[in-house]
Amino acid sequence: MTTFLCQPAARDILKKMGSDSRFFLQDDKPDSQVFVSPSLLSGRGQYRKAQHSIEWVPFAWTCHLDPQTGKVRRFDVMPFPTEKGKTAESHYCAASDLQLVLDSQNGAFDGMSHTGTFMTVKNKGGKACLLPAYPSVQFQTDDGKSVPVKRQAADGDTPAEDMLQSGIDLVLPQKSELHSALRWVSGDVYGGPHDCYTVTSLVVALGGNWLSYPLRSTFCSPEQGRVVVEQSPLSSQASVP
């Protein structure tokens, strides 16, 4: 299915990068193709150089789909450098190359005692890099304390922590951006004992880097419980899903 949906888009981009007609959207290692969501696939592959038919170049890729039509919205590629001494960590985005922006989307998250924010991560650097599909998020109060949070994937079934542990990474090309929607309970809706917190900032972990952005909101949970935060994976979808 991945080959059927994403291969045509991959072919055009890889050709511009120096590939001939031979390439694969997988390698010989486990989990070389990962289904993140109906609109997002990621993986590793390799292409053969047009000018050197015996030389193959490994790369990471991310395929962004329209979940309604199955058409490719965007296909991102990042060749892995082959220089001696390069490590996996060298492929991740550096904090100095990233910009974090939050947007309320004109109140699109508000309603039924819930609210949220639309998070955008921009690559200001000069090269593509990798980001975790579900970056770790923390919400801090004015005195710097973190609110106890339980993250949940946007489908309501898969805990985001499980997705993080699987090591799913996405390609973020230079001068490009990816987006994620975050939702939580903001109203005093719990009938019994409960806790509410006034948050003043969002802190995001991106490949070992931490970025913060001002965020003022109320978070509520059952007493001594964690605030449930619904989180969608980073994707090219530039509006609230």
Side-chain angles (χ1 to χ4, degrees):
M1 182 61 71
T2 300
T3 300
F4 176 77
L5 293 174
C6 302
Q7 186 163 335
R11 179 177 290 107
D12 293 339
I13 293 176
L14 293 173
K15 185 176 181 180
K16 294 178 182 179
M17 297 177 66
S19 170
D20 64 8
S21 59
R22 295 294 304 278
F23 68 90
F24 300 97
L25 296 183
Q26 59 186 9
D27 58 25
D28 58 355
K29 299 178 182 178
D31 299 323
S32 64
Q33 294 183 352
V34 180
F35 176 86
V36 184
S37 74
S39 62
L40 189 61
L41 303 169
S42 71
R44 302 181 302 273
Q46 50 191 321
Y47 69 81
R48 188 173 65 180
K49 282 190 173 182
Q51 303 300 320
H52 304 276
S53 60
I54 62 172
E55 186 174 351
W56 290 78
V57 178
F59 63 89
W61 58 266
T62 302
C63 187
H64 301 268
L65 302 168
D66 183 329
Q68 303 300 321
T69 65
K71 292 183 178 179
V72 177
R73 287 174 170 165
R74 194 171 104 189
F75 190 89
D76 297 330
V77 176
M78 187 191 76
F80 285 134
T82 56
E83 295 94 332
K84 185 177 180 180
K86 288 285 186 179
T87 63
E89 287 72 20
S90 65
H91 304 315
Y92 285 95
C93 301
S96 58
D97 291 333
L98 299 176
Q99 180 182 4
L100 178 67
V101 177
L102 302 183
D103 185 358
S104 66
Q105 297 274 293
N106 294 318
F109 294 92
D110 298 338
M112 299 297 290
S113 301
H114 284 69
T115 191
T117 190
F118 197 66
M119 180 175 70
T120 296
V121 182
K122 299 181 179 181
N123 183 357
K124 304 181 300 177
K127 62 181 180 179
C129 54
L130 295 180
L131 289 177
Y134 285 90
S136 179
V137 295
Q138 294 183 12
F139 300 89
Q140 296 185 343
T141 58
D142 198 35
D143 57 1
K145 295 181 179 179
S146 294
V147 171
V149 165
K150 176 183 179 181
R151 290 182 298 147
Q152 180 174 283
D155 59 16
D157 297 323
T158 307
E161 284 89 343
D162 292 349
M163 301 295 285
L164 278 171
Q165 291 173 3
S166 64
I168 301 172
D169 295 318
L170 306 179
V171 176
L172 180 59
Q174 60 179 355
K175 312 305 179 185
S176 295
E177 57 189 39
L178 293 174
H179 316 274
S180 173
L182 303 171
R183 293 180 171 88
W184 57 87
V185 175
S186 58
D188 193 354
V189 298
Y190 296 99
H194 60 278
D195 296 311
C196 287
Y197 309 87
T198 299
V199 164
T200 57
S201 64
L202 166 67
V203 181
V204 185
L206 296 164
N209 303 301
W210 292 91
L211 298 177
S212 63
Y213 197 90
L215 171 68
R216 182 164 290 276
S217 182
T218 300
F219 285 61
C220 291
S221 68
E223 186 180 28
Q224 297 182 343
R226 293 186 291 170
V227 177
V228 175
V229 175
E230 185 181 279
Q231 179 178 4
S232 67
L234 289 170
S235 76
S236 63
Q237 186 168 335
S239 61
V240 178

